[in-house]
Amino acid sequence: MSTQYWLMKSEPNVYSIDDLKREGRTHWEGVRNYQARNFMRDQMNLNDRVLFYHSNCNPPGIVGLATVSKLAYPDFFAWDSSSPYFDPKASPEKPIWMMVDVDYEAHFSKIISLEQLKNEAALAGMLVAKKGMRLSIQPVTQAHFDHVLEMAKH
DNA sequence: GCCAACGTTGGC
DNA sequence: GCCAACGTTGGC
């Protein structure tokens, strides 16, 4: 299976790329959207590459790279009643929600802001730049991924 | 803090 | 199964 490319959003005041660098690996818990879950469950493969995106901050944008290091498995925070991600409908027998593990790869030397992404002709059609796009896990084409890497060099 | 966009829930 | 009401996301 060839490498696939993704963009994953995190609010830096909840979990930032600095947190991921310090920990090396994290489980991507708390996804409570079926489409995003299905991407993780049905399509993500080991070593898929991830653009790490900081949302709900100023400025929002892509701050670095990560890789998928464990295939989807039940998000056990869903049945932990003390977790902010608790879902009373989920249980170990019926997990509902899934997560993958993600490894730190690199920081970009500086953030590639959402504004830059929107202004970049080569990234036309990239989901993250679309108005009203709230999906927290998005597929990225190889061409767009490669172009983001190029932008990160400059 | 506002609010547009979107997803989910639940009454009917 | 429609759709209004509600909750959430996330840019601004």
Side-chain angles (χ1 to χ4, degrees), chain A residues 3-150:
Chain A
T3 304
Q4 301 173 105
Y5 304 91
W6 306 95
L7 179 143
M8 296 172 80
K9 294 182 187 173
S10 187
E11 301 190 18
N13 62 341
V14 176
Y15 194 86
S16 73
I17 194 167
D18 296 326
D19 295 321
L20 181 59
K21 182 177 188 181
R22 189 175 59 251
E23 296 184 351
R25 173 173 296 190
T26 193
H27 29 60
W28 204 266
E29 74 274 15
V31 171
R32 297 291 178 268
N33 168 283
Y34 289 104
Q35 202 179 348
R37 178 204 67 182
N38 293 349
F39 282 134
M40 289 196 290
R41 186 190 62 190
D42 304 335
Q43 292 187 240
M44 276 194 186
N45 292 310
L46 290 179
N47 303 316
D48 277 2
R49 304 189 73 190
V50 176
L51 300 172
F52 197 111
Y53 181 90
H54 279 175
S55 65
N56 203 13
C57 58
N58 188 17
I62 300 169
V63 289
L65 297 170
T67 54
V68 175
S69 55
K70 184 175 176 179
L71 296 175
Y73 59 104
D75 179 347
F76 47 79
F77 291 83
W79 55 83
D80 173 358
S81 60
S82 69
S83 168
Y85 304 122
F86 178 62
D87 178 350
K89 294 197 286 295
S91 66
E93 296 72 33
K94 190 164 176 276
I96 305 180
W97 303 112
M98 307 287 280
M99 58 185 171
V100 294
D101 283 0
V102 160
D103 280 13
Y104 175 79
E105 183 176 338
H107 275 67
F108 288 164
S109 56
K110 64 179 190 151
I111 186 170
I112 302 175
S113 70
L114 178 60
E115 186 183 14
Q116 282 176 274
L117 297 172
K118 285 179 172 172
N119 289 335
E120 192 74 7
L123 298 182
M126 193 174 180
L127 290 176
V128 72
K130 288 194 175 169
K131 187 172 185 237
M133 172 48 67
R134 304 189 314 184
L135 196 58
S136 65
I137 297 177
Q138 303 173 5
V140 174
T141 66
Q142 182 171 5
H144 286 166
F145 184 90
D146 290 344
H147 191 79
V148 169
L149 292 194
E150 278 304 308

